[in-house]
Amino acid sequence: MTRFRKPGLSERFSQMGYLLKHTATIVGRDADIVTPVIRTIIFSVILVTLFFASIAAFVLDAGGTGTLLLLAWLVLAIYHFFYFNRQELALSWLVHETAAGRDRAFPDATARAAELKPQGRILALLDMVAAWIAWRRSNSEKGGFLTNLILGAMTEGWDLVNHFLLPAFAVDGVGFRDGMGKLRATRENIPETLVGVFGIDIMGRVVATIMASLNFFLVLLGIALGIWASGAMPVAFEGGELGELLPPQAFDYLPWTAETVFNWLPLFVCIFLGKLVSSAFKRVVTAVKVIYFTLFYTRVLHPDTLAPDIREELEAFLTFGGQDDAQTPGTVPT
């Protein structure tokens, strides 16, 4: 029996670096694997752009344009759960077929995902619930430590279950109940070399850590440009004089006067760019997780389908370079 712990941040960075590097090797076997990833990135960019464009339209008082853009964003925000899951099912199937030594095209994967619409809808609806729980957790001021702990465990638990259900659906075409059975079968039949990485939180909060640093830099840049270049910016985005925004004693340390005008357009653009990068990065990370867990699922439940030339490479990939149980990130043997 193995009990799992959360890997430390340095371990998470190490894991992600290893996975990104060796995922490229898997993708190199079939370039079609990249197609669903690119599609989700493009969709994410459109979604973010619509949201920020609606805010800009409201500020510029562009009639009903802001309302229309916001409604379009709301529709796509709901639809993206279904779209992303369809692309991830296609991705999972392509990865499995590649590991089996079969060369499949993206249209074949699209057709396979179309056969799995009921499973995709279930995943999408459960993703919506998980997103609501995550939002509730991040906005809960009175929930207390225990409530936030439970909500966090539910969110992370679903992330693991979701990425094991994807290959169960895509590869075996089972329903939700049988998919949960496949999840149990995976855990019960894990080879000794892989027991240390089952259930590992591969990415953890690495994305949040990276994006926090980037966003901090972008916010500072936006504030600096909003002050120094305020005269060249549209008046509609002026936020007033600094004396109205900051306490008087602050100007004892700042190189600006209380009469300096702040324009928040540069800050708005910097936040927009940060959100674009974040959304694209998250799609890449999700794709890496889908690839990893699909290969894990195939290795455990369908080892006979693996192409001979990928077996050794796959074993190293799944064990982060062949680490033993005592050293595998994220595990503590009991």
Side-chain angles (χ1 to χ4, degrees):
M1 182 67 179
T2 300
R3 176 170 55 86
F4 303 99
R5 65 171 174 82
K6 291 183 180 179
L9 188 59
S10 61
E11 290 175 323
R12 287 171 173 167
F13 272 102
S14 175
Q15 292 164 13
M16 192 176 77
Y18 186 90
L19 291 178
L20 288 174
K21 176 183 176 181
H22 290 275
T23 295
T25 304
I26 302 297
V27 172
R29 291 174 171 267
D30 187 353
D32 287 293
I33 291 176
V34 178
T35 304
V37 184
I38 293 176
R39 286 190 166 202
T40 58
I41 291 175
I42 292 174
F43 195 102
S44 295
V45 168
I46 293 173
L47 199 59
V48 172
T49 302
L50 276 175
F51 180 75
F52 279 84
S54 68
I55 295 175
F58 282 123
V59 172
L60 296 172
D61 196 20
T65 303
T67 302
L68 291 176
L69 289 172
L70 190 59
L71 287 174
W73 171 82
L74 183 60
V75 171
L76 290 183
I78 296 173
Y79 176 67
H80 93 274
F81 291 103
F82 299 90
Y83 183 79
F84 283 0
N85 274 290
R86 188 161 68 247
Q87 297 303 316
E88 288 166 14
L89 284 168
L91 172 61
S92 181
W93 184 80
L94 277 172
V95 170
H96 171 76
E97 293 296 293
T98 300
R102 294 185 284 268
D103 184 15
R104 301 289 193 178
F106 180 69
D108 299 326
T110 301
R112 176 59 172 171
E115 298 173 0
L116 303 170
K117 284 185 178 179
Q119 293 93 322
R121 292 191 190 102
I122 291 174
L123 288 175
L125 292 173
L126 290 174
D127 275 343
M128 287 183 187
V129 174
W132 178 83
I133 291 174
W135 174 84
R136 174 78 180 273
R137 180 190 180 195
S138 63
N139 291 277
S140 178
E141 297 180 356
K142 300 179 180 179
F145 173 77
L146 183 59
T147 299
N148 289 332
L149 187 64
I150 294 173
L151 292 177
M154 291 172 65
T155 303
E156 294 178 8
W158 167 242
D159 183 70
L160 171 63
V161 172
N162 176 49
H163 284 94
F164 269 109
L165 284 178
L166 276 168
F169 293 159
V171 175
D172 293 321
V174 298
F176 182 77
R177 179 179 297 178
D178 291 337
M180 295 302 293
K182 291 286 185 181
L183 176 58
R184 289 190 292 271
T186 304
R187 180 156 196 165
E188 292 169 0
N189 293 281
I190 293 178
E192 184 178 351
T193 54
L194 298 183
V195 69
V197 292
F198 178 84
I200 194 170
D201 181 10
I202 298 178
M203 300 303 178
R205 294 190 176 89
V206 171
V207 175
T209 302
I210 294 174
M211 290 313 304
S213 301
L214 176 61
N215 288 334
F216 179 73
F217 169 77
L218 288 173
V219 166
L220 290 181
L221 177 63
I223 292 174
L225 291 176
I227 295 174
W228 285 322
S230 62
M233 300 295 166
V235 177
F237 289 90
E238 285 188 358
E241 296 180 351
L242 292 183
E244 301 171 355
L245 305 174
L246 300 173
Q249 56 270 29
F251 297 98
D252 295 335
Y253 309 96
L254 295 176
W256 309 292
T257 65
E259 290 74 30
T260 302
V261 176
F262 174 72
N263 190 299
W264 60 274
L265 179 59
L267 179 60
F268 178 79
V269 172
C270 285
I271 293 175
F272 168 62
L273 293 175
K275 190 62 179 177
L276 280 182
V277 173
S278 175
S279 62
F281 191 26
K282 285 181 180 178
R283 298 325 309 165
V284 172
V285 167
T286 297
V288 171
K289 293 170 77 172
V290 171
I291 291 171
Y292 180 87
F293 281 111
T294 298
L295 293 174
F296 197 110
Y297 181 89
T298 302
R299 169 63 181 85
V300 174
L301 294 187
H302 298 283
D304 54 314
T305 66
L306 290 170
D309 63 330
I310 201 176
R311 289 178 182 272
E312 183 176 346
E313 176 186 333
L314 180 61
E315 200 77 16
F317 175 69
L318 295 179
T319 57
F320 299 96
Q323 302 168 67
D324 58 38
D325 288 352
Q327 295 177 329
T328 300
T331 65
V332 176
T334 58

